Amino acid sequence: QVQLVESGGGSVQAGGSLRLSCAASGYTQSRYCMGWFRQAPGKERERVARIARDGGTSYADSVKGRFTISQDNAKNTLYLQMNSLKPENTGMYYCAAKESPYYSACPGVPGYWGQGTKVTVSS
C-alpha cells in the first residue's frame, strides 16, 4: 500500500519561499512517476510539477523558473521548492504517485494521493 504524507505548507507573503516535502512508503520508487498538484478554491486540481522514472522533470508554465521538484531516493522523499511565490499559487498541494511502464513519460492520472498541505500566499 502506497502511502504519501505531505508537509511544509503554511502562510507566506508574496515573494517568499516554501519547501514542501512528501514522505513516501510502501512502493518501489524506481517504478513510479511522482508529482505535485494544486487545487485552488473553487477550481479543479492541476499538475504543478512531475518527475519521471529517469529523473526528467516537467512544470506547469505558470511555475517554470520559480518551482523545483526533486527527490531524495535514500529518504523516499519528494520535494517541491517554491520561490517567488504569488497569491495565485495559493491552494492545497497534493503529492501523487503513479506506477508507470515508461522511463521518461508519466501519462494518465496518478493512482495514489497524499492528504494535502495548504499553502497561502498573501499580497
Side-chain angles (χ1 to χ4, degrees):
Q1 181 80 13
V2 178
Q3 291 188 325
L4 305 170
V5 180
E6 302 96 333
S7 61
S11 296
V12 64
Q13 288 192 327
S17 298
L18 284 173
R19 188 176 81 154
L20 306 184
S21 299
C22 171
S25 61
Y27 75 140
T28 303
Q29 187 180 26
S30 61
R31 292 164 50 184
Y32 282 75
C33 286
M34 303 294 294
W36 288 97
F37 289 70
R38 177 179 65 235
Q39 187 162 22
K43 295 188 177 182
E44 294 186 355
R45 194 174 297 187
E46 60 178 354
R47 193 172 74 182
V48 173
R50 68 92 171 130
I51 186 164
R53 292 174 59 189
D54 65 355
T57 58
S58 177
Y59 298 90
D61 288 343
S62 61
V63 307
K64 283 181 181 176
R66 299 187 297 120
F67 288 15
T68 303
I69 187 172
S70 63
Q71 60 186 9
D72 185 330
N73 294 336
K75 295 182 179 180
N76 272 357
T77 301
L78 181 74
Y79 301 100
L80 184 68
Q81 178 67 45
M82 306 187 293
N83 299 328
S84 302
L85 282 161
K86 303 176 180 180
E88 52 263 43
N89 299 135
T90 293
M92 286 293 289
Y93 282 72
Y94 298 91
C95 173
K98 177 175 173 58
E99 190 169 11
S100 175
Y102 308 108
Y103 282 100
S104 59
C106 300
V109 178
Y112 302 95
W113 298 86
Q115 82 289 350
T117 185
K118 187 174 182 180
V119 171
T120 303
V121 184
S122 57
S123 58

mmCIF file with all atom_site columns, all heavy atoms in Angstrom, residues 27-47:
data_model
loop_
_atom_site.group_PDB
_atom_site.id
_atom_site.type_symbol
_atom_site.label_atom_id
_atom_site.label_alt_id
_atom_site.label_comp_id
_atom_site.label_asym_id
_atom_site.label_entity_id
_atom_site.label_seq_id
_atom_site.pdbx_PDB_ins_code
_atom_site.Cartn_x
_atom_site.Cartn_y
_atom_site.Cartn_z
_atom_site.occupancy
_atom_site.B_iso_or_equiv
_atom_site.pdbx_formal_charge
_atom_site.auth_seq_id
_atom_site.auth_comp_id
_atom_site.auth_asym_id
_atom_site.auth_atom_id
_atom_site.pdbx_PDB_model_num
ATOM 1   N N   . TYR A 1 27 ? 6.201   1.305  -1.576  1.00 0.00 ? 27 TYR A N   1
ATOM 2   C CA  . TYR A 1 27 ? 6.321   1.132  -3.012  1.00 0.00 ? 27 TYR A CA  1
ATOM 3   C C   . TYR A 1 27 ? 7.788   1.070  -3.416  1.00 0.00 ? 27 TYR A C   1
ATOM 4   O O   . TYR A 1 27 ? 8.681   1.372  -2.621  1.00 0.00 ? 27 TYR A O   1
ATOM 5   C CB  . TYR A 1 27 ? 5.631   2.270  -3.745  1.00 0.00 ? 27 TYR A CB  1
ATOM 6   C CG  . TYR A 1 27 ? 6.384   3.588  -3.735  1.00 0.00 ? 27 TYR A CG  1
ATOM 7   C CD1 . TYR A 1 27 ? 6.427   4.378  -4.878  1.00 0.00 ? 27 TYR A CD1 1
ATOM 8   C CD2 . TYR A 1 27 ? 7.044   4.048  -2.607  1.00 0.00 ? 27 TYR A CD2 1
ATOM 9   C CE1 . TYR A 1 27 ? 7.102   5.575  -4.892  1.00 0.00 ? 27 TYR A CE1 1
ATOM 10  C CE2 . TYR A 1 27 ? 7.724   5.240  -2.605  1.00 0.00 ? 27 TYR A CE2 1
ATOM 11  C CZ  . TYR A 1 27 ? 7.750   6.000  -3.753  1.00 0.00 ? 27 TYR A CZ  1
ATOM 12  O OH  . TYR A 1 27 ? 8.439   7.189  -3.775  1.00 0.00 ? 27 TYR A OH  1
ATOM 13  N N   . THR A 1 28 ? 8.011   0.651  -4.659  1.00 0.00 ? 28 THR A N   1
ATOM 14  C CA  . THR A 1 28 ? 9.344   0.651  -5.233  1.00 0.00 ? 28 THR A CA  1
ATOM 15  C C   . THR A 1 28 ? 9.505   1.926  -6.050  1.00 0.00 ? 28 THR A C   1
ATOM 16  O O   . THR A 1 28 ? 8.957   2.049  -7.144  1.00 0.00 ? 28 THR A O   1
ATOM 17  C CB  . THR A 1 28 ? 9.550   -0.591 -6.132  1.00 0.00 ? 28 THR A CB  1
ATOM 18  O OG1 . THR A 1 28 ? 9.312   -1.767 -5.376  1.00 0.00 ? 28 THR A OG1 1
ATOM 19  C CG2 . THR A 1 28 ? 10.953  -0.607 -6.688  1.00 0.00 ? 28 THR A CG2 1
ATOM 20  N N   . GLN A 1 29 ? 10.203  2.880  -5.499  1.00 0.00 ? 29 GLN A N   1
ATOM 21  C CA  . GLN A 1 29 ? 10.249  4.225  -6.073  1.00 0.00 ? 29 GLN A CA  1
ATOM 22  C C   . GLN A 1 29 ? 10.659  4.239  -7.538  1.00 0.00 ? 29 GLN A C   1
ATOM 23  O O   . GLN A 1 29 ? 10.142  5.025  -8.332  1.00 0.00 ? 29 GLN A O   1
ATOM 24  C CB  . GLN A 1 29 ? 11.187  5.110  -5.262  1.00 0.00 ? 29 GLN A CB  1
ATOM 25  C CG  . GLN A 1 29 ? 11.167  6.574  -5.679  1.00 0.00 ? 29 GLN A CG  1
ATOM 26  C CD  . GLN A 1 29 ? 12.109  7.406  -4.847  1.00 0.00 ? 29 GLN A CD  1
ATOM 27  O OE1 . GLN A 1 29 ? 13.094  6.911  -4.310  1.00 0.00 ? 29 GLN A OE1 1
ATOM 28  N NE2 . GLN A 1 29 ? 11.815  8.684  -4.730  1.00 0.00 ? 29 GLN A NE2 1
ATOM 29  N N   . SER A 1 30 ? 11.551  3.350  -7.930  1.00 0.00 ? 30 SER A N   1
ATOM 30  C CA  . SER A 1 30 ? 12.081  3.379  -9.294  1.00 0.00 ? 30 SER A CA  1
ATOM 31  C C   . SER A 1 30 ? 11.022  3.062  -10.340 1.00 0.00 ? 30 SER A C   1
ATOM 32  O O   . SER A 1 30 ? 11.247  3.280  -11.536 1.00 0.00 ? 30 SER A O   1
ATOM 33  C CB  . SER A 1 30 ? 13.243  2.398  -9.413  1.00 0.00 ? 30 SER A CB  1
ATOM 34  O OG  . SER A 1 30 ? 12.800  1.089  -9.139  1.00 0.00 ? 30 SER A OG  1
ATOM 35  N N   . ARG A 1 31 ? 9.875   2.558  -9.936  1.00 0.00 ? 31 ARG A N   1
ATOM 36  C CA  . ARG A 1 31 ? 8.818   2.210  -10.884 1.00 0.00 ? 31 ARG A CA  1
ATOM 37  C C   . ARG A 1 31 ? 7.739   3.269  -10.993 1.00 0.00 ? 31 ARG A C   1
ATOM 38  O O   . ARG A 1 31 ? 6.749   3.090  -11.701 1.00 0.00 ? 31 ARG A O   1
ATOM 39  C CB  . ARG A 1 31 ? 8.187   0.880  -10.459 1.00 0.00 ? 31 ARG A CB  1
ATOM 40  C CG  . ARG A 1 31 ? 9.126   -0.306 -10.612 1.00 0.00 ? 31 ARG A CG  1
ATOM 41  C CD  . ARG A 1 31 ? 8.653   -1.522 -9.848  1.00 0.00 ? 31 ARG A CD  1
ATOM 42  N NE  . ARG A 1 31 ? 7.256   -1.838 -10.116 1.00 0.00 ? 31 ARG A NE  1
ATOM 43  C CZ  . ARG A 1 31 ? 6.614   -2.826 -9.492  1.00 0.00 ? 31 ARG A CZ  1
ATOM 44  N NH1 . ARG A 1 31 ? 7.239   -3.552 -8.595  1.00 0.00 ? 31 ARG A NH1 1
ATOM 45  N NH2 . ARG A 1 31 ? 5.358   -3.069 -9.771  1.00 0.00 ? 31 ARG A NH2 1
ATOM 46  N N   . TYR A 1 32 ? 7.920   4.386  -10.289 1.00 0.00 ? 32 TYR A N   1
ATOM 47  C CA  . TYR A 1 32 ? 6.850   5.363  -10.191 1.00 0.00 ? 32 TYR A CA  1
ATOM 48  C C   . TYR A 1 32 ? 7.236   6.747  -10.700 1.00 0.00 ? 32 TYR A C   1
ATOM 49  O O   . TYR A 1 32 ? 8.356   7.217  -10.491 1.00 0.00 ? 32 TYR A O   1
ATOM 50  C CB  . TYR A 1 32 ? 6.405   5.511  -8.734  1.00 0.00 ? 32 TYR A CB  1
ATOM 51  C CG  . TYR A 1 32 ? 5.524   4.390  -8.263  1.00 0.00 ? 32 TYR A CG  1
ATOM 52  C CD1 . TYR A 1 32 ? 6.054   3.139  -7.982  1.00 0.00 ? 32 TYR A CD1 1
ATOM 53  C CD2 . TYR A 1 32 ? 4.155   4.586  -8.111  1.00 0.00 ? 32 TYR A CD2 1
ATOM 54  C CE1 . TYR A 1 32 ? 5.241   2.104  -7.563  1.00 0.00 ? 32 TYR A CE1 1
ATOM 55  C CE2 . TYR A 1 32 ? 3.333   3.560  -7.689  1.00 0.00 ? 32 TYR A CE2 1
ATOM 56  C CZ  . TYR A 1 32 ? 3.887   2.327  -7.416  1.00 0.00 ? 32 TYR A CZ  1
ATOM 57  O OH  . TYR A 1 32 ? 3.070   1.313  -6.994  1.00 0.00 ? 32 TYR A OH  1
ATOM 58  N N   . CYS A 1 33 ? 6.268   7.391  -11.341 1.00 0.00 ? 33 CYS A N   1
ATOM 59  C CA  . CYS A 1 33 ? 6.310   8.829  -11.560 1.00 0.00 ? 33 CYS A CA  1
ATOM 60  C C   . CYS A 1 33 ? 5.788   9.487  -10.294 1.00 0.00 ? 33 CYS A C   1
ATOM 61  O O   . CYS A 1 33 ? 4.853   8.976  -9.673  1.00 0.00 ? 33 CYS A O   1
ATOM 62  C CB  . CYS A 1 33 ? 5.386   9.235  -12.698 1.00 0.00 ? 33 CYS A CB  1
ATOM 63  S SG  . CYS A 1 33 ? 5.971   8.823  -14.333 1.00 0.00 ? 33 CYS A SG  1
ATOM 64  N N   . MET A 1 34 ? 6.351   10.631 -9.964  1.00 0.00 ? 34 MET A N   1
ATOM 65  C CA  . MET A 1 34 ? 5.905   11.379 -8.793  1.00 0.00 ? 34 MET A CA  1
ATOM 66  C C   . MET A 1 34 ? 5.583   12.806 -9.214  1.00 0.00 ? 34 MET A C   1
ATOM 67  O O   . MET A 1 34 ? 6.213   13.364 -10.108 1.00 0.00 ? 34 MET A O   1
ATOM 68  C CB  . MET A 1 34 ? 7.006   11.418 -7.722  1.00 0.00 ? 34 MET A CB  1
ATOM 69  C CG  . MET A 1 34 ? 7.485   10.050 -7.262  1.00 0.00 ? 34 MET A CG  1
ATOM 70  S SD  . MET A 1 34 ? 6.210   9.131  -6.381  1.00 0.00 ? 34 MET A SD  1
ATOM 71  C CE  . MET A 1 34 ? 6.026   10.151 -4.924  1.00 0.00 ? 34 MET A CE  1
ATOM 72  N N   . GLY A 1 35 ? 4.607   13.378 -8.530  1.00 0.00 ? 35 GLY A N   1
ATOM 73  C CA  . GLY A 1 35 ? 4.238   14.734 -8.926  1.00 0.00 ? 35 GLY A CA  1
ATOM 74  C C   . GLY A 1 35 ? 3.596   15.527 -7.803  1.00 0.00 ? 35 GLY A C   1
ATOM 75  O O   . GLY A 1 35 ? 3.225   14.977 -6.762  1.00 0.00 ? 35 GLY A O   1
ATOM 76  N N   . TRP A 1 36 ? 3.507   16.831 -8.049  1.00 0.00 ? 36 TRP A N   1
ATOM 77  C CA  . TRP A 1 36 ? 2.799   17.741 -7.158  1.00 0.00 ? 36 TRP A CA  1
ATOM 78  C C   . TRP A 1 36 ? 1.641   18.363 -7.926  1.00 0.00 ? 36 TRP A C   1
ATOM 79  O O   . TRP A 1 36 ? 1.809   18.819 -9.067  1.00 0.00 ? 36 TRP A O   1
ATOM 80  C CB  . TRP A 1 36 ? 3.731   18.840 -6.664  1.00 0.00 ? 36 TRP A CB  1
ATOM 81  C CG  . TRP A 1 36 ? 4.746   18.381 -5.668  1.00 0.00 ? 36 TRP A CG  1
ATOM 82  C CD1 . TRP A 1 36 ? 6.044   18.033 -5.914  1.00 0.00 ? 36 TRP A CD1 1
ATOM 83  C CD2 . TRP A 1 36 ? 4.533   18.222 -4.259  1.00 0.00 ? 36 TRP A CD2 1
ATOM 84  N NE1 . TRP A 1 36 ? 6.658   17.653 -4.742  1.00 0.00 ? 36 TRP A NE1 1
ATOM 85  C CE2 . TRP A 1 36 ? 5.749   17.771 -3.705  1.00 0.00 ? 36 TRP A CE2 1
ATOM 86  C CE3 . TRP A 1 36 ? 3.451   18.427 -3.396  1.00 0.00 ? 36 TRP A CE3 1
ATOM 87  C CZ2 . TRP A 1 36 ? 5.919   17.513 -2.337  1.00 0.00 ? 36 TRP A CZ2 1
ATOM 88  C CZ3 . TRP A 1 36 ? 3.606   18.177 -2.050  1.00 0.00 ? 36 TRP A CZ3 1
ATOM 89  C CH2 . TRP A 1 36 ? 4.835   17.731 -1.532  1.00 0.00 ? 36 TRP A CH2 1
ATOM 90  N N   . PHE A 1 37 ? 0.502   18.416 -7.260  1.00 0.00 ? 37 PHE A N   1
ATOM 91  C CA  . PHE A 1 37 ? -0.701  19.011 -7.836  1.00 0.00 ? 37 PHE A CA  1
ATOM 92  C C   . PHE A 1 37 ? -1.205  20.087 -6.890  1.00 0.00 ? 37 PHE A C   1
ATOM 93  O O   . PHE A 1 37 ? -0.977  20.034 -5.686  1.00 0.00 ? 37 PHE A O   1
ATOM 94  C CB  . PHE A 1 37 ? -1.787  17.944 -8.024  1.00 0.00 ? 37 PHE A CB  1
ATOM 95  C CG  . PHE A 1 37 ? -1.500  16.964 -9.121  1.00 0.00 ? 37 PHE A CG  1
ATOM 96  C CD1 . PHE A 1 37 ? -0.487  16.027 -8.992  1.00 0.00 ? 37 PHE A CD1 1
ATOM 97  C CD2 . PHE A 1 37 ? -2.240  16.980 -10.284 1.00 0.00 ? 37 PHE A CD2 1
ATOM 98  C CE1 . PHE A 1 37 ? -0.217  15.118 -10.005 1.00 0.00 ? 37 PHE A CE1 1
ATOM 99  C CE2 . PHE A 1 37 ? -1.987  16.076 -11.309 1.00 0.00 ? 37 PHE A CE2 1
ATOM 100 C CZ  . PHE A 1 37 ? -0.980  15.148 -11.164 1.00 0.00 ? 37 PHE A CZ  1
ATOM 101 N N   . ARG A 1 38 ? -1.910  21.035 -7.451  1.00 0.00 ? 38 ARG A N   1
ATOM 102 C CA  . ARG A 1 38 ? -2.514  22.109 -6.654  1.00 0.00 ? 38 ARG A CA  1
ATOM 103 C C   . ARG A 1 38 ? -3.995  22.211 -6.968  1.00 0.00 ? 38 ARG A C   1
ATOM 104 O O   . ARG A 1 38 ? -4.413  22.115 -8.121  1.00 0.00 ? 38 ARG A O   1
ATOM 105 C CB  . ARG A 1 38 ? -1.861  23.458 -6.964  1.00 0.00 ? 38 ARG A CB  1
ATOM 106 C CG  . ARG A 1 38 ? -2.495  24.641 -6.225  1.00 0.00 ? 38 ARG A CG  1
ATOM 107 C CD  . ARG A 1 38 ? -1.792  25.945 -6.547  1.00 0.00 ? 38 ARG A CD  1
ATOM 108 N NE  . ARG A 1 38 ? -1.933  26.310 -7.940  1.00 0.00 ? 38 ARG A NE  1
ATOM 109 C CZ  . ARG A 1 38 ? -0.885  26.569 -8.734  1.00 0.00 ? 38 ARG A CZ  1
ATOM 110 N NH1 . ARG A 1 38 ? 0.353   26.494 -8.247  1.00 0.00 ? 38 ARG A NH1 1
ATOM 111 N NH2 . ARG A 1 38 ? -1.071  26.916 -9.999  1.00 0.00 ? 38 ARG A NH2 1
ATOM 112 N N   . GLN A 1 39 ? -4.763  22.430 -5.911  1.00 0.00 ? 39 GLN A N   1
ATOM 113 C CA  . GLN A 1 39 ? -6.191  22.724 -6.093  1.00 0.00 ? 39 GLN A CA  1
ATOM 114 C C   . GLN A 1 39 ? -6.500  24.022 -5.385  1.00 0.00 ? 39 GLN A C   1
ATOM 115 O O   . GLN A 1 39 ? -6.449  24.093 -4.144  1.00 0.00 ? 39 GLN A O   1
ATOM 116 C CB  . GLN A 1 39 ? -7.064  21.596 -5.559  1.00 0.00 ? 39 GLN A CB  1
ATOM 117 C CG  . GLN A 1 39 ? -8.533  21.798 -5.883  1.00 0.00 ? 39 GLN A CG  1
ATOM 118 C CD  . GLN A 1 39 ? -9.331  20.525 -5.746  1.00 0.00 ? 39 GLN A CD  1
ATOM 119 O OE1 . GLN A 1 39 ? -8.948  19.590 -5.054  1.00 0.00 ? 39 GLN A OE1 1
ATOM 120 N NE2 . GLN A 1 39 ? -10.464 20.478 -6.431  1.00 0.00 ? 39 GLN A NE2 1
ATOM 121 N N   . ALA A 1 40 ? -6.795  25.042 -6.173  1.00 0.00 ? 40 ALA A N   1
ATOM 122 C CA  . ALA A 1 40 ? -7.184  26.335 -5.611  1.00 0.00 ? 40 ALA A CA  1
ATOM 123 C C   . ALA A 1 40 ? -8.666  26.311 -5.282  1.00 0.00 ? 40 ALA A C   1
ATOM 124 O O   . ALA A 1 40 ? -9.422  25.519 -5.856  1.00 0.00 ? 40 ALA A O   1
ATOM 125 C CB  . ALA A 1 40 ? -6.872  27.438 -6.613  1.00 0.00 ? 40 ALA A CB  1
ATOM 126 N N   . PRO A 1 41 ? -9.106  27.147 -4.373  1.00 0.00 ? 41 PRO A N   1
ATOM 127 C CA  . PRO A 1 41 ? -10.524 27.182 -4.002  1.00 0.00 ? 41 PRO A CA  1
ATOM 128 C C   . PRO A 1 41 ? -11.420 27.389 -5.219  1.00 0.00 ? 41 PRO A C   1
ATOM 129 O O   . PRO A 1 41 ? -11.210 28.313 -5.999  1.00 0.00 ? 41 PRO A O   1
ATOM 130 C CB  . PRO A 1 41 ? -10.605 28.375 -3.049  1.00 0.00 ? 41 PRO A CB  1
ATOM 131 C CG  . PRO A 1 41 ? -9.243  28.479 -2.466  1.00 0.00 ? 41 PRO A CG  1
ATOM 132 C CD  . PRO A 1 41 ? -8.304  28.079 -3.567  1.00 0.00 ? 41 PRO A CD  1
ATOM 133 N N   . GLY A 1 42 ? -12.388 26.507 -5.381  1.00 0.00 ? 42 GLY A N   1
ATOM 134 C CA  . GLY A 1 42 ? -13.333 26.623 -6.475  1.00 0.00 ? 42 GLY A CA  1
ATOM 135 C C   . GLY A 1 42 ? -12.802 26.214 -7.831  1.00 0.00 ? 42 GLY A C   1
ATOM 136 O O   . GLY A 1 42 ? -13.488 26.407 -8.847  1.00 0.00 ? 42 GLY A O   1
ATOM 137 N N   . LYS A 1 43 ? -11.613 25.646 -7.872  1.00 0.00 ? 43 LYS A N   1
ATOM 138 C CA  . LYS A 1 43 ? -11.020 25.263 -9.154  1.00 0.00 ? 43 LYS A CA  1
ATOM 139 C C   . LYS A 1 43 ? -10.651 23.784 -9.151  1.00 0.00 ? 43 LYS A C   1
ATOM 140 O O   . LYS A 1 43 ? -10.608 23.143 -8.112  1.00 0.00 ? 43 LYS A O   1
ATOM 141 C CB  . LYS A 1 43 ? -9.782  26.116 -9.439  1.00 0.00 ? 43 LYS A CB  1
ATOM 142 C CG  . LYS A 1 43 ? -10.082 27.591 -9.625  1.00 0.00 ? 43 LYS A CG  1
ATOM 143 C CD  . LYS A 1 43 ? -8.865  28.342 -10.101 1.00 0.00 ? 43 LYS A CD  1
ATOM 144 C CE  . LYS A 1 43 ? -9.185  29.806 -10.362 1.00 0.00 ? 43 LYS A CE  1
ATOM 145 N NZ  . LYS A 1 43 ? -8.007  30.547 -10.864 1.00 0.00 ? 43 LYS A NZ  1
ATOM 146 N N   . GLU A 1 44 ? -10.398 23.270 -10.363 1.00 0.00 ? 44 GLU A N   1
ATOM 147 C CA  . GLU A 1 44 ? -10.009 21.885 -10.484 1.00 0.00 ? 44 GLU A CA  1
ATOM 148 C C   . GLU A 1 44 ? -8.549  21.689 -10.089 1.00 0.00 ? 44 GLU A C   1
ATOM 149 O O   . GLU A 1 44 ? -7.744  22.626 -10.148 1.00 0.00 ? 44 GLU A O   1
ATOM 150 C CB  . GLU A 1 44 ? -10.236 21.411 -11.923 1.00 0.00 ? 44 GLU A CB  1
ATOM 151 C CG  . GLU A 1 44 ? -11.701 21.369 -12.335 1.00 0.00 ? 44 GLU A CG  1
ATOM 152 C CD  . GLU A 1 44 ? -11.884 20.752 -13.703 1.00 0.00 ? 44 GLU A CD  1
ATOM 153 O OE1 . GLU A 1 44 ? -10.889 20.453 -14.362 1.00 0.00 ? 44 GLU A OE1 1
ATOM 154 O OE2 . GLU A 1 44 ? -13.055 20.583 -14.105 1.00 0.00 ? 44 GLU A OE2 1
ATOM 155 N N   . ARG A 1 45 ? -8.254  20.474 -9.708  1.00 0.00 ? 45 ARG A N   1
ATOM 156 C CA  . ARG A 1 45 ? -6.879  20.136 -9.386  1.00 0.00 ? 45 ARG A CA  1
ATOM 157 C C   . ARG A 1 45 ? -6.032  20.163 -10.658 1.00 0.00 ? 45 ARG A C   1
ATOM 158 O O   . ARG A 1 45 ? -6.460  19.653 -11.693 1.00 0.00 ? 45 ARG A O   1
ATOM 159 C CB  . ARG A 1 45 ? -6.839  18.764 -8.725  1.00 0.00 ? 45 ARG A CB  1
ATOM 160 C CG  . ARG A 1 45 ? -5.541  18.424 -8.042  1.00 0.00 ? 45 ARG A CG  1
ATOM 161 C CD  . ARG A 1 45 ? -5.654  17.103 -7.292  1.00 0.00 ? 45 ARG A CD  1
ATOM 162 N NE  . ARG A 1 45 ? -6.641  17.169 -6.230  1.00 0.00 ? 45 ARG A NE  1
ATOM 163 C CZ  . ARG A 1 45 ? -6.838  16.191 -5.351  1.00 0.00 ? 45 ARG A CZ  1
ATOM 164 N NH1 . ARG A 1 45 ? -6.104  15.088 -5.417  1.00 0.00 ? 45 ARG A NH1 1
ATOM 165 N NH2 . ARG A 1 45 ? -7.755  16.302 -4.410  1.00 0.00 ? 45 ARG A NH2 1
ATOM 166 N N   . GLU A 1 46 ? -4.840  20.747 -10.569 1.00 0.00 ? 46 GLU A N   1
ATOM 167 C CA  . GLU A 1 46 ? -3.964  20.821 -11.732 1.00 0.00 ? 46 GLU A CA  1
ATOM 168 C C   . GLU A 1 46 ? -2.556  20.391 -11.354 1.00 0.00 ? 46 GLU A C   1
ATOM 169 O O   . GLU A 1 46 ? -2.119  20.576 -10.211 1.00 0.00 ? 46 GLU A O   1
ATOM 170 C CB  . GLU A 1 46 ? -3.929  22.244 -12.289 1.00 0.00 ? 46 GLU A CB  1
ATOM 171 C CG  . GLU A 1 46 ? -3.424  23.290 -11.301 1.00 0.00 ? 46 GLU A CG  1
ATOM 172 C CD  . GLU A 1 46 ? -3.357  24.677 -11.891 1.00 0.00 ? 46 GLU A CD  1
ATOM 173 O OE1 . GLU A 1 46 ? -3.586  24.837 -13.104 1.00 0.00 ? 46 GLU A OE1 1
ATOM 174 O OE2 . GLU A 1 46 ? -3.058  25.620 -11.134 1.00 0.00 ? 46 GLU A OE2 1
ATOM 175 N N   . ARG A 1 47 ? -1.861  19.838 -12.320 1.00 0.00 ? 47 ARG A N   1
ATOM 176 C CA  . ARG A 1 47 ? -0.497  19.409 -12.057 1.00 0.00 ? 47 ARG A CA  1
ATOM 177 C C   . ARG A 1 47 ? 0.441   20.605 -12.068 1.00 0.00 ? 47 ARG A C   1
ATOM 178 O O   . ARG A 1 47 ? 0.412   21.416 -12.996 1.00 0.00 ? 47 ARG A O   1
ATOM 179 C CB  . ARG A 1 47 ? -0.034  18.372 -13.080 1.00 0.00 ? 47 ARG A CB  1
ATOM 180 C CG  . ARG A 1 47 ? 1.257   17.682 -12.662 1.00 0.00 ? 47 ARG A CG  1
ATOM 181 C CD  . ARG A 1 47 ? 1.608   16.525 -13.573 1.00 0.00 ? 47 ARG A CD  1
ATOM 182 N NE  . ARG A 1 47 ? 2.099   16.978 -14.867 1.00 0.00 ? 47 ARG A NE  1
ATOM 183 C CZ  . ARG A 1 47 ? 2.433   16.143 -15.852 1.00 0.00 ? 47 ARG A CZ  1
ATOM 184 N NH1 . ARG A 1 47 ? 2.286   14.835 -15.697 1.00 0.00 ? 47 ARG A NH1 1
ATOM 185 N NH2 . ARG A 1 47 ? 2.889   16.626 -16.990 1.00 0.00 ? 47 ARG A NH2 1
#
